[in-house]
Amino acid sequence: MLRYIVRRLISMIPVLIGITAIVFLIMSLIPGDPATAILGSYATPENVANLNAKLGLDKPLVQRYFIWLGNLAQGDFGRSFSLNRPVLDEILERFNATLILSGTAYLLCSFLGVLAGIFSASRQYEISDKLITFVVLIGISVPSFFLGMMLIVFFTVQLRWLPASGMFSIYGGGDFVDLIRHLIMPALALSFVATGVIARLSRSTMLEVLRLEYIRTARAKGVKEFRVVTRHAFRSAVVTILPVLGLQAGFVLSGSVYIEIVFQWPGIGRMLVDAILTRDILLVQGGVVFVAFCYVFFNLAVDVLQLWLDPRITRK
Amino acid sequence: MIGFVKKVVRNRLAGLGLVVLFGIILLAILTPLLPLAPPNAIDTPNRFVLPFSDNALLGTDHLGRDLLSRLLWGTQLSLAVGLAAAFIAGFFGALLGIVAGYMGGRTDSLIMRSVDILMAFPYILLALAIVAALGPGLMNALIAVAVVNIPFFARNVRGVAVTLAQADFIQSARLSGRSDISILVFELLPNVASVIIIAFSTTVGWMILETAGLSFLGLGSQPPQADLGSMLGEGRAALITNPHTSIIPGIMIFLIVMGINLLGDGIRDALDPRLAKGRLEKPSPLTRVGDGLIQSPPIDSTASKAVMDVNHLSTNFEVSEVVNKAVRDVSFSISSGECLGLVGESGSGKSVTALSLTRLVASPPGVVVSGSVRISDQELISLPYEGIRAIRGRRVAYIFQDPLTSLHPLHRIGHQLTEAMSTHSRGADSVFVERAKNLLSEVRIPNPERVMDAYPHELSGGMRQRIGIAMALANDPDLIIADEPTTALDVTVQAQILTILNDLRQQRGLSILFISHDLNVMAQICDRVAVMYAGEIVEMGRAPDILEHPKHPYTAALLACSPQIGQGRQSLQPITGMPPTGHEPLNACAFANRCSRVQPVCQQQPVEIIDMDSQLVRCLFPVVES
């Protein structure tokens, strides 16, 4: 087990380096001169040249990449010119908010999706199955940002139950209850699509497993049907569902960009969109690399969990 | 082509998706011809007019622009951009996938490594980075979305191309000296086309959503030009006061994507039957019993010493209108301590008979249409689920053919054994564990302690089948139904398993229903043998009588085509022809078409089973030895 983890960690190194290379390469496509962008069009040529030298932009591309990579390795993501503070500080602060939102939505969609899938499969063609299938179809077809906006229209404008923006109330908020009240709508909107995808997959996986011979064996043993579904069939289905759950983390993270905009959630997604619009390259670069790294490590964790759940892999 | 469309539309939801999508696409195409207000004509005095007003069917937006006009132009743009992105992604992805799969080696690993790295990004990060570099704009958003989806196509196509590249027809084309390009285009491409179409139908909805998303963020289409996403983005500013400016484009995106998803499911099901997961039927825990169930009157149970009495049992497989009669009117009984063999070729209905006894036949499609199965005083066919469940594994236990697939791959052996016990009786775990270990020694498993902690894949086939036997013994059942327990094993292991079963029979006085297609195995273990053909029992009697003096021509033919050890050189005679399918009612002897002794009368009526010297035979002209 430990050896597997170490091996996987080592094999991740090229992927991580590849990520930084791709991000750096894409960013270097930007036409024009960042120094001009920072200083504005009235800057004198000397000022631009000075700033370029200061930022290291006068060096060749490859050299600049390795300098940036070396700094990254030391935890130095550079300085955001639009916010005038270290990129990493900004990212860490924002990441907290993203983690709260995405994490909640992710737990929600994993739990609800798998549950709905199992329930639906064990009641195939009954009315509850059809209802779930219908809701799931809506789930995978509705844009999350549109759903978020409709939630606001309904729960904030019509019913006046929940706040529509931010993470905390500006006046008198800040406690846990306040956070939850702000979290409900964005988390629901964000998890809905992924719930649909997971429910669909769980249902079809369960239906496949329920036809296998060892399920017949369990029934021939006289095992109660509830247990056949929950212990025998689900135990095997998990092994198929889990890798997709890992991939869904990427979809939830992606969706969080839209949801953060709709609900003005102070997370990384909003930061990235703002940074793109202000052309704050180091902030975009740092944010993308940071989140991509988190995602890679998360999927490593999923793989390890998979290994633990499926003893057939270990011995290979 | 028409056949394919029919296949897709047979799925009613896919048909609905097709209609919705077709309608929207038609509207988008006709948009320039419709008498619409100009989409970008600003008319601020008439801003935020509500839908269904006189001059604006869907109202106006914050600048007083006609929403219907903007919606239709926006739909056209969104569809065009989404489809273009999908085609670009599909083209380059498929190209990379085919080249990687066909070339193999370094090219393959270079391409696939890059694809892996691209896939390590949550998709929007990559799209955002590309838009950040190229600058906001619809074309750039299109490029970003296309690039992000290339890896998906590349990976799917490459998976198929790798297998195909090794296929004989590609290899022979290579050997014939044709150029790589020609092979790629004319041989490989047509064969990966279905994969490309499936990947396309899966992703095109996503791509439309993603481009709409980028426009929504203000990174796609720039004002005044509007696609559906940017309309939503603009509507957001007035969400609270005038939600209709958001709802209208939102619903349009929803309809488009839903139409694509429904249609995509239909296309996938039609192109790849293996993927038609939606159609997988869940087998119910009990075989369905037919509506007009005919049951014979109860036999006086005190008079019968039988452990199990089966009378006139018939089981069908019913797939929509097609009825396949797998088991026809089968009757037999098993006495205490007896081993009854059920022999017949594949498809003769022996396994279905065995599973029907405790209603384990997968249903759908299985239906028990008639008959009675009794153990002592209980009728199993009409028993409700809870009653049958209490009997399964407790009084009637099964051993299945392939222990690798019939044991749970992810449960430890010990757990599978103790579960069989704890299902039917309460007790401390330690007691069950102890009993499980004893069972393992009883089926001669060395080192039971270690095996308890093992998973099935860690054991050999023979060991696994011993586990299967031990599990069947767990509750000391009255009857064990062994469904081809030795078929999946090699000959020496077969012999060991048979010895174990035989010993257990003697020690425990077990009754066994032993199913096999192998007459030699029958000879070693069975007291009586029943021969099945086309779902019927054609001959039944004492094992030595049947195996040495068969009366039914089918049994005789079966013996003539199975080699016997120690009989010297023999010529084996195959049975020519095929058994009848189970679709028609039997209006003749089922074996008549293959029988060497056939007479015209055999073809004219079904044959009843008759008693001949305490041997039951379903034949008008049985074999009589001189």
Side-chain angles (χ1 to χ4, degrees):
Chain A
M1 186 77 137
L2 201 68
R3 265 176 55 196
Y4 173 83
I5 297 174
V6 171
R7 216 170 57 221
R8 279 299 313 268
L9 277 172
I10 292 170
S11 74
M12 259 168 49
I13 293 172
V15 174
L16 295 180
I17 292 177
I19 286 174
T20 59
I22 286 177
V23 173
F24 189 83
L25 212 66
I26 292 173
M27 287 310 178
S28 68
L29 292 176
I30 296 181
D33 188 349
T36 319
I38 295 171
L39 295 173
S41 43
Y42 296 112
T44 61
E46 290 109 70
N47 284 346
V48 171
N50 277 342
L51 188 63
N52 271 337
K54 195 177 150 206
L55 295 173
L57 291 171
D58 51 348
K59 298 191 175 75
L61 189 70
V62 179
Q63 201 180 345
R64 262 161 46 205
Y65 169 66
F66 282 106
I67 292 172
W68 177 63
L69 194 63
N71 289 340
L72 275 191
Q74 295 166 37
D76 178 9
F77 281 62
R79 206 173 168 81
S80 153
F81 76 82
S82 64
L83 302 166
N84 197 21
R85 67 183 298 204
V87 167
L88 190 61
D89 291 2
E90 178 71 11
I91 288 175
L92 289 177
E93 202 180 295
R94 296 290 198 130
F95 189 63
N96 214 3
T98 294
L99 205 59
I100 290 175
L101 174 59
S102 301
T104 310
Y106 185 64
L107 291 179
L108 210 61
C109 71
S110 307
F111 183 73
L112 289 180
V114 171
L115 206 66
I118 298 174
F119 188 79
S120 205
S122 64
R123 275 156 217 263
Q124 194 187 17
Y125 299 142
E126 287 175 30
I127 197 81
S128 46
D129 173 36
K130 287 179 178 159
L131 198 70
I132 290 175
T133 310
F134 179 68
V135 175
V136 160
L137 177 70
I138 293 179
I140 57 174
S141 306
V142 71
S144 59
F145 41 93
F146 178 56
L147 181 66
M149 287 159 70
M150 291 304 102
L151 289 179
I152 291 178
V153 168
F154 192 68
F155 288 104
T156 306
V157 181
Q158 298 290 324
L159 296 172
R160 298 178 178 282
W161 281 358
L162 294 167
S165 70
M167 214 167 135
F168 293 105
S169 303
I170 298 166
Y171 302 108
D175 56 354
F176 184 67
V177 179
D178 189 40
L179 174 65
I180 297 294
R181 276 169 48 80
H182 281 82
L183 187 60
I184 292 175
M185 283 199 296
L188 274 181
L190 182 52
S191 60
F192 197 56
V193 179
T195 306
V197 176
I198 294 169
R200 237 176 169 212
L201 174 89
S202 306
R203 178 177 183 271
S204 64
T205 310
M206 282 296 284
L207 286 178
E208 246 170 57
V209 172
L210 278 167
R211 300 167 64 80
L212 294 177
E213 279 180 47
Y214 54 83
I215 297 302
R216 189 180 64 192
T217 308
R219 285 173 171 166
K221 276 156 88 175
V223 175
K224 287 196 170 83
E225 189 60 16
F226 180 75
R227 201 181 152 92
V228 171
V229 171
T230 54
R231 297 289 179 83
H232 289 251
F234 179 59
R235 177 68 182 82
S236 301
V238 163
V239 176
T240 313
I241 296 170
L242 195 66
V244 178
L245 281 188
L247 291 179
Q248 282 303 312
F251 282 91
V252 170
L253 266 178
S254 297
S256 76
V257 174
Y258 304 122
I259 296 299
E260 284 176 13
I261 299 279
V262 171
F263 290 93
Q264 303 188 13
W265 193 266
I268 274 197
R270 240 179 89 199
M271 178 199 86
L272 281 175
V273 174
D274 290 345
I276 290 170
L277 293 173
T278 55
R279 319 220 79 188
D280 191 339
I281 298 158
L282 280 177
L283 195 55
V284 176
Q285 231 167 259
V288 170
V289 166
F290 185 87
V291 178
F293 274 28
C294 291
Y295 179 59
V296 168
F297 279 101
F298 181 79
N299 270 300
L300 173 73
V302 171
D303 283 356
V304 172
L305 193 62
Q306 178 82 350
L307 186 76
W308 182 66
L309 282 172
D310 192 347
R312 286 170 300 182
I313 306 173
T314 329
R315 273 83 182 175
K316 272 181 198 158
Chain B
M1 187 61 200
I2 291 170
F4 177 72
V5 172
K6 269 189 186 160
K7 225 169 158 185
V8 171
V9 178
R10 198 168 53 196
N11 179 342
R12 258 184 302 166
L13 283 174
L16 177 71
L18 188 67
V19 168
V20 170
L21 210 55
F22 186 74
I24 293 174
I25 290 175
L26 198 69
L27 269 180
I29 293 173
L30 291 180
T31 300
L33 305 176
L34 296 176
L36 294 166
N40 298 327
I42 294 172
D43 180 18
T44 18
N46 287 319
R47 62 204 289 254
F48 293 131
V49 171
L50 290 178
F52 309 114
S53 307
D54 289 340
N55 292 321
L57 187 59
L58 292 180
T60 59
D61 71 357
H62 62 292
L63 295 175
R65 297 175 291 194
D66 182 53
L67 270 176
L68 177 64
S69 169
R70 286 178 74 73
L71 181 75
L72 291 182
W73 285 101
T75 303
Q76 193 189 42
L77 194 60
S78 279
L79 279 175
V81 171
L83 283 173
F87 276 114
I88 296 173
F91 178 78
F92 287 104
L95 188 70
L96 285 174
I98 289 177
V99 169
Y102 179 70
M103 302 302 259
R106 272 202 197 150
T107 321
D108 183 29
S109 58
L110 182 71
I111 292 176
M112 292 325 286
R113 277 291 141 77
S114 319
V115 163
D116 282 345
I117 291 172
L118 284 179
M119 284 187 118
F121 287 93
Y123 74 85
I124 200 158
L125 285 185
L126 206 55
L128 285 180
I130 293 170
V131 173
L134 302 179
L138 196 55
M139 268 323 273
N140 296 342
L142 190 160
I143 293 170
V145 169
V147 168
V148 167
N149 282 288
I150 286 176
F152 179 78
F153 279 92
R155 185 177 270 195
N156 276 297
V157 172
R158 185 248 177 201
V160 185
V162 157
T163 352
L164 280 174
Q166 303 304 319
D168 290 339
F169 70 98
I170 299 283
Q171 292 294 345
S172 63
R174 272 184 172 176
L175 289 174
S176 74
R178 280 170 64 183
S179 73
D180 283 344
I181 303 279
S182 140
I183 295 175
L184 282 179
V185 174
F186 295 108
E187 303 291 340
L188 208 54
L189 189 62
N191 285 291
V192 293
S194 69
V195 181
I196 299 176
I197 294 173
I198 288 174
F200 192 86
S201 70
T202 323
T203 46
V204 66
W206 273 112
M207 289 197 231
I208 288 177
L209 265 184
E210 285 161 18
T211 35
L214 287 177
S215 288
F216 173 78
L217 296 176
L219 304 175
S221 81
Q222 300 296 312
Q225 184 193 45
D227 70 351
L228 295 172
S230 63
M231 282 179 75
L232 251 180
E234 285 169 3
R236 196 172 78 81
L239 178 63
I240 290 175
T241 50
N242 286 286
H244 71 274
T245 52
S246 310
I247 293 174
I248 289 165
I251 286 180
M252 183 56 100
I253 301 180
F254 170 68
L255 286 178
I256 293 174
V257 177
M258 192 185 67
I260 291 174
N261 282 337
L262 287 175
L263 185 62
D265 287 350
I267 290 177
R268 276 194 294 286
D269 289 1
L271 274 183
D272 190 347
R274 279 183 307 118
L275 280 178
K277 287 175 185 166
R279 301 241 187 80
L280 282 181
E281 304 267 2
K282 169 195 175 253
S284 70
L286 265 193
T287 311
R288 194 160 70 82
V289 172
D291 296 330
L293 179 73
I294 311 144
Q295 279 191 318
S296 52
I299 318 165
D300 184 6
S301 58
T302 46
S304 160
K305 279 191 298 182
V307 173
M308 179 179 272
D309 265 306
V310 179
N311 280 294
H312 307 293
L313 182 69
S314 298
T315 303
N316 290 354
F317 287 121
E318 299 182 354
V319 181
S320 54
E321 297 303 300
V322 185
V323 175
N324 192 340
K325 297 183 174 171
V327 176
R328 309 186 199 228
D329 198 24
V330 163
S331 304
F332 59 83
S333 70
I334 303 168
S335 346
S336 176
E338 184 189 38
C339 177
L340 172 68
L342 207 52
V343 72
E345 60 195 284
S346 317
S348 60
K350 47 194 197 310
S351 285
V352 183
T353 305
L355 293 173
S356 296
L357 300 179
T358 62
R359 290 167 62 195
L360 272 174
V361 181
S363 179
V367 186
V368 175
V369 282
S370 77
S372 126
V373 175
R374 242 181 223 102
I375 55 170
S376 52
D377 50 346
Q378 268 179 310
E379 170 58 57
L380 298 192
I381 296 300
S382 51
L383 207 58
Y385 170 70
E386 201 39 50
I388 292 248
R389 193 191 66 73
I391 284 168
R392 287 175 180 173
R394 170 72 196 83
R395 299 182 65 185
V396 180
Y398 282 85
I399 302 170
F400 291 109
Q401 174 174 346
D402 185 351
L404 182 60
T405 51
S406 59
L407 292 175
H408 198 295
L410 303 175
H411 287 169
R412 289 179 198 277
I413 300 297
H415 172 77
Q416 305 203 33
L417 286 170
T418 52
E419 187 189 37
M421 300 169 203
S422 62
T423 299
H424 294 288
S425 52
R426 284 158 187 269
D429 280 352
S430 57
V431 178
F432 291 146
V433 170
E434 215 38 53
R435 254 169 67 194
K437 283 181 199 158
N438 289 340
L439 281 173
L440 289 180
S441 345
E442 212 173 331
V443 294
R444 292 175 218 161
I445 282 182
N447 205 346
E449 301 271 346
R450 203 176 50 83
V451 170
M452 290 283 282
D453 281 333
Y455 290 98
H457 70 273
E458 298 168 326
L459 304 174
S460 69
M463 290 280 264
R464 280 196 288 260
Q465 195 55 294
R466 289 171 210 215
I467 309 288
I469 295 172
M471 210 156 78
L473 292 172
N475 293 300
D476 209 1
D478 305 334
L479 172 68
I480 284 187
I481 299 174
D483 186 2
E484 306 236 17
T486 55
T487 308
L489 307 172
D490 64 55
V491 184
T492 46
V493 181
Q494 248 182 39
Q496 292 166 7
I497 295 291
L498 283 178
T499 317
I500 291 171
L501 276 175
N502 238 338
D503 292 354
L504 285 169
R505 246 185 90 198
Q506 259 129 45
Q507 289 157 17
R508 294 183 166 226
L510 270 179
S511 308
I512 300 180
L513 176 63
F514 192 95
I515 291 148
S516 178
H517 62 272
D518 188 338
L519 289 163
N520 292 318
V521 170
M522 289 278 150
Q524 291 173 52
I525 188 165
C526 298
D527 302 309
R528 284 193 306 138
V529 170
V531 182
M532 280 192 84
Y533 183 78
E536 291 180 320
I537 290 185
V538 293
E539 182 165 18
M540 180 156 64
R542 289 185 49 237
D545 295 346
I546 300 249
L547 297 173
E548 278 157 40
H549 313 288
K551 289 196 163 59
H552 196 286
Y554 174 65
T555 317
L558 208 56
L559 281 163
C561 70
S562 65
Q564 256 135 13
I565 297 165
Q567 302 264 328
R569 288 167 69 104
Q570 331 150 6
S571 65
L572 298 179
Q573 282 153 359
I575 309 176
T576 54
M578 294 289 285
T581 60
H583 300 309
E584 316 92 36
L586 286 178
N587 293 321
C589 169
F591 191 56
N593 288 332
R594 304 169 79 185
C595 185
S596 55
R597 305 167 62 85
V598 65
Q599 303 285 329
V601 63
C602 300
Q603 308 272 22
Q604 285 157 10
Q605 61 193 64
V607 181
E608 294 297 314
I609 199 157
I610 50 162
D611 195 334
M612 259 185 85
D613 313 331
S614 74
Q615 209 159 325
L616 294 173
V617 186
R618 193 185 291 274
C619 185
L620 297 174
F621 307 98
V623 184
V624 186
E625 286 177 346
S626 49

